[in-house]
Amino acid sequence: MNESEFGITLSDALDLDLVSKGLERGHYVLTDEGRSFAIFPGHAKDDDCKEILGNPILSSRK
């Protein structure tokens, strides 16, 4: 992944509350939702992943 793609992906993850900014510049921390989103696919919980992504997207629609 190049630098530009990474920046876009990180921005999306921040918007979806999957990560939050860390204490130092350039540091980011997975939120509880981000941890679940990262873990669930390995445990056959695809529906839970869809819910984690879907809720913030749907709530942002006006």
Side-chain angles (χ1 to χ4, degrees):
M1 180 180 290
N2 69 38
E3 204 172 295
S4 178
E5 291 171 329
F6 181 78
I8 292 167
T9 302
L10 184 57
S11 178
D12 290 344
L14 282 164
D15 290 343
L16 294 170
D17 294 324
L18 297 176
V19 297
S20 61
K21 291 186 178 184
L23 298 176
E24 296 181 34
R25 185 174 185 265
H27 289 201
Y28 296 87
V29 179
L30 284 171
T31 61
D32 290 339
E33 290 83 9
R35 283 186 198 95
S36 295
F37 184 74
I39 292 170
F40 283 166
H43 297 281
K45 295 191 174 192
D46 293 337
D47 289 339
D48 293 325
C49 285
K50 291 176 188 175
E51 185 176 328
I52 289 171
L53 285 182
N55 288 339
I57 292 169
L58 292 173
S59 67
S60 70
R61 298 177 91 191
K62 294 181 179 180

